[in-house]
Every structure is written in C-alpha cells, then in structure tokens.
Amino acid sequence: MLSYRHSFHAGNHADVLKHTVQSLIIEALKEKEKPFLYLDTHAGAGRYQLSGEHAERTGEYLEGIARIWQQDDLPAELEPYMNAVRHFNRGEQLRYYPGSPLIARELLREQDSLQLTELHPSDYPLLRQEFQKDSRARVARADGYQQLKAKLPPVSRRGLILIDPPYEIKTDYQAVVSGIQEGHKRFATGVYALWYPVVLRQQIKRMLRDLEETGIRNILQIELAVRPDSDQRGMTASGMIVINPPWKLEAQMNNLLPWLHSKLVPAGTGHTLVHQIVPE
Ligand code: SAM
C-alpha cells in the first residue's frame, strides 16, 4: 500500500523543521574535509510545485515555508536551509519546494555522495530524473529500511542517514526502531535523523521507549507543535530524533525554535522542545 504522496504536504511546518535540522547536520559534517555519505531511506519525488494541484488542494505550505519565506530577520541557523530553498525559486515568488534529496544535493560537496531510495511508482521516476546528471548520487527503487543493512557502513565511515517514512502503516513506528538498530550495529558513529509526526502521543511515547530500550546512546529529540496534543484526527506536532547529533545542534535548535514557532504558529498554541533523551 503506497497511497502517501509527499506533494500534498511539501513545505508544511513539519518539512520546515525536518529540513532545517537536516541542513544543520550537513553543515556540521562539512566542517571536516573528509567525504561523507547522505543516505535518504524514504526520499520522495525530490521537487514539488507549490502551485500544483496537490499542494494547492491542502495549502499546507501556506502555514509552513510561506510564513518564513519573506521574513527579513531570519536567524543564522536557517541560512543553509533557506539558501537551498531560494536556489529553486529565483526571484521573489515561492513556486517550488525542494524535498530532502534536493536540499542535500544543494549542500553536499564534490567529494560527498548520496544514496536515495523511493518505492512509489510515480515518485521514483521523478526522483531518478532529478539526479540523472549527478555523478555523486545513486537512486534506487528499493525498500528504505533494507538500505540500513545493505549500505552501511559507508566506505567513508562518515554519514547522515535520514529516515522519513510516511507512517501510513502502523508498523512503521516499530520498523524505524529496528531499522535504526540494524544500521547502528553496522555503523555506530553515523548521524541518524528520524522524522516523526505526532498524531497520537501514545504512539510516539512507545516508539521512544522502544528506541531507549535498544541501548543506543546519545539521542536528541527536537519537536515543534502547532496545536496541543489531541485524540482527534490529524498531526498536531512533528519532531526529529537525532542519534549522534553534531555538538552544536542542541544549542542551535534552542536558539532557533522560539523564533520558528512564533512565525509558524502566530496564535502561539503548541510548544517547542529540545531534549537529550539518552546521554552520550
Ligand atoms: N524525505 C522526503 C522529503 O523530506 O522531501 C519525503 C518523504 S515522504 C514523507 C515518504 C516517502 O516514502 C513517500 O514518497 C513514500 O512513497 C516512500 N516510501 C514508503 N515506504 C517506503 C519504503 N519502504 N522504502 C522506501 N520508500 C518508501
């Protein structure tokens, strides 16, 4: 069952948080000359047209990227992310939104490499086409969780692994934990960044408990909520779990999240959170 299409959600508040964290991790990895691998297990289509039928139908980007696109007091922590978004939008108008693989493509260097997997029969060809001319990238129509066994450790022994499933099947909440466990067994020093939606808080609590029980150390949780938790349908918050976060990330997010929250949630509801759930 692959009914999820990211084109309905591209550029929403959850993407802003996810891609900001992704960009800051990539910038931190670039502080060393040595190459690294960017592995994106659930890569999506890559590029999203915000005036397209899907994005227009939900209008989610209007409460996400559109709220910060024209701000002139952007905190420094947003710069790498916003520069990548600007690259796809020459001029004033916000027309396209780059998904995680295109943000990585913008920020990675010549010596780095990308490994991208996507299963959807419509999104995979779009992704492959985006990367046709990029010799740093390998794009496969394959199961993202399998990559955590097959592609780790990278030859460079440095890497960021982004795990961003749609959670359209409940087993994703367990699959992400066992996937991380498999990856970590093979590559304990990698940076793992897992995105999660808060639809039912209990699901996230259980997922975090399962993750803590793996014994993996050095886990940071970052969350931005646009509404209070609820048992009604719909996502009220989203977050990133980062294993082996760059040392500056916690301070960067503490600095940035109040600003981001004030712009994305002008009504002031919801909350932000940066919390080391397991120490080093
Ligand atoms: N990471 C993308 C971004 O930030 O731009 C968005 C990814 S979207 C949330 C999740 C994607 O995972 C969908 O495009 C879906 O088709 C794909 N997908 C679902 N199950 C998968 C699997 N087992 N392996 C690889 N991709 C999968």
Side-chain angles (χ1 to χ4, degrees), residues 2 4 6 18-19 41-44 99-100 118-120 142-144 164:
L2 280 168
Y4 180 94
H6 197 63
K18 178 205 315 171
H19 297 145
T41 58
H42 298 69
S100 52
E118 170 55 46
L119 272 184
H120 198 285
D143 175 32
D164 182 22

Side-chain angles (χ1 to χ4, degrees), residues 190-204:
V191 182
Y192 295 80
L194 167 69
W195 180 82
Y196 67 85
V198 180
V199 179
L200 288 175
R201 178 62 68 180
Q202 268 318 105
Q203 285 170 321
I204 301 309

Side-chain angles (χ1 to χ4, degrees), residues 17-163:
L17 179 72
K18 178 205 315 171
H19 297 145
T20 298
V21 171
Q22 175 198 6
S23 305
L24 289 171
I25 297 172
I26 290 176
E27 289 305 297
L29 285 166
K30 282 161 62 178
E31 284 173 12
K32 287 196 183 136
E33 233 2 78
K34 279 188 69 184
F36 63 88
L37 169 71
Y38 170 75
L39 169 58
D40 199 327
T41 58
H42 298 69
R47 183 186 304 247
Y48 304 97
Q49 196 181 344
L50 295 176
S51 60
E53 190 205 329
H54 290 183
E56 286 291 3
R57 193 169 333 151
T58 61
E60 288 188 21
Y61 75 96
L62 296 172
E63 295 180 356
I65 184 65
R67 289 210 164 136
I68 57 173
W69 168 245
Q70 300 239 297
Q71 300 290 339
D72 47 21
D73 61 338
L74 288 182
E77 292 83 359
L78 274 178
E79 258 169 43
Y81 164 61
M82 288 303 286
N83 286 342
V85 178
R86 280 191 204 107
H87 175 86
F88 295 93
N89 291 281
R90 308 206 187 272
E92 294 281 289
Q93 212 192 336
L94 179 62
R95 297 172 63 208
Y96 295 100
Y97 188 77
S100 52
L102 291 203
I103 289 179
R105 187 175 81 191
E106 268 319 292
L107 298 180
L108 261 58
R109 308 159 299 184
E110 201 49 47
Q111 66 265 41
D112 304 321
S113 56
L114 301 93
Q115 182 78 48
L116 314 167
T117 48
E118 170 55 46
L119 272 184
H120 198 285
S122 305
D123 285 344
Y124 167 69
L126 299 172
L127 181 69
R128 197 184 48 187
Q129 199 176 358
E130 283 288 348
F131 283 87
Q132 230 167 19
K133 295 195 182 122
D134 192 333
S135 59
R136 301 170 304 172
R138 296 281 172 274
V139 184
R141 185 168 179 195
D143 175 32
Y145 297 118
Q146 282 302 321
Q147 307 306 299
L148 297 163
K149 294 185 195 166
K151 302 295 176 196
L152 298 179
V155 180
S156 57
R157 302 275 160 172
R158 301 182 73 221
L160 165 61
I161 297 103
L162 180 72
I163 305 165

Side-chain angles (χ1 to χ4, degrees), residues 239-250:
M240 294 291 280
I241 300 294
V242 186
I243 298 170
N244 299 326
W247 67 273
K248 280 188 288 191
L249 187 64
E250 184 172 355

